[in-house]
Amino acid sequence: MDRVRSNRLRSAQAGLWDTMAEDYGLFPDLAFDAVMARAERGELVTATPRLVELLVDQQLSVMDSAAVVSTLGDQRWDNGRRAALEEVFDAWWQETLLLEPGEHQPPFTPEVVLGVLVGYGAPMVRWLAPWLVELDGPGAAHLAAVVLGGLDGPAWRGKADQAGQVIGWARTETVINGLALIGCTHLDDQILSDVLDRLI
């Protein structure tokens, strides 16, 4: 399935390549194993744009995706590089929320992408605030899927606290009102009823 990237994500990825290093050598064409081998030998900064490219293009397994994001979250970045990296993550998450159910490349549904991204270690508001904005659209269906299906699988391994924060956020008055008053136009009546029963 060919991926059509959002303008924001394409721009963010280009910005990351522009920011991380002056000379990338063979990195733009390297496979994941080769990039990781060089990253682990002390070239993580130079390897980062290629790792992120493989990540957001969903060419990695869920486990490898989670490992990459965790590694990048553990790295000490200067402000410019951190901003460039986080813009890619923010753009990828926004694009994920804007795709209709069924348009995501399996297995990278919104709950899986979120599970991967929370491994970066940013405060959960970074991912939840944009989701609230997107309840007037596909974001409502994605939230319903999480509430009814739960958060588990490889992307959420070791992240029970963050998963609990997502469900706690979904139970807030702001989110419930958003679903009931705005998101309702994007959900089947029975699904909306089931979701609200779980949350209230």
Side-chain angles (χ1 to χ4, degrees), residues 26-148:
L26 297 175
F27 272 106
D29 299 312
L30 289 182
F32 175 62
D33 289 347
V35 180
M36 280 304 295
R38 291 185 61 176
E40 290 166 355
R41 290 199 308 263
E43 297 181 81
L44 178 60
V45 173
T46 311
T48 291
R50 178 59 176 160
L51 288 174
V52 171
E53 182 176 68
L54 292 167
L55 171 74
V56 302
D57 286 346
Q58 294 150 28
Q59 297 182 42
L60 308 179
S61 69
V62 173
M63 289 296 291
D64 285 340
S65 297
V68 165
V69 172
S70 178
T71 297
L72 296 175
D74 291 340
Q75 172 72 9
R76 288 178 172 265
W77 300 102
D78 64 40
N79 290 340
R81 287 172 171 163
R82 177 174 295 281
L85 176 61
E86 291 178 350
E87 172 59 14
V88 177
F89 288 162
D90 292 344
W92 185 32
W93 179 230
Q94 181 188 50
E95 179 184 89
T96 300
L97 289 173
L98 290 172
L99 290 173
E100 295 285 348
E103 291 183 347
H104 303 88
Q105 179 175 310
F108 289 93
T109 56
E111 58 269 27
V112 171
V113 173
L114 180 59
V116 168
L117 286 172
V118 299
Y120 181 64
M124 290 298 290
V125 67
R126 179 172 214 107
W127 321 117
L128 300 179
W131 203 346
L132 184 63
V133 172
E134 301 304 337
L135 289 182
D136 188 11
H142 304 326
L143 182 56
V146 165
V147 171
L148 298 177

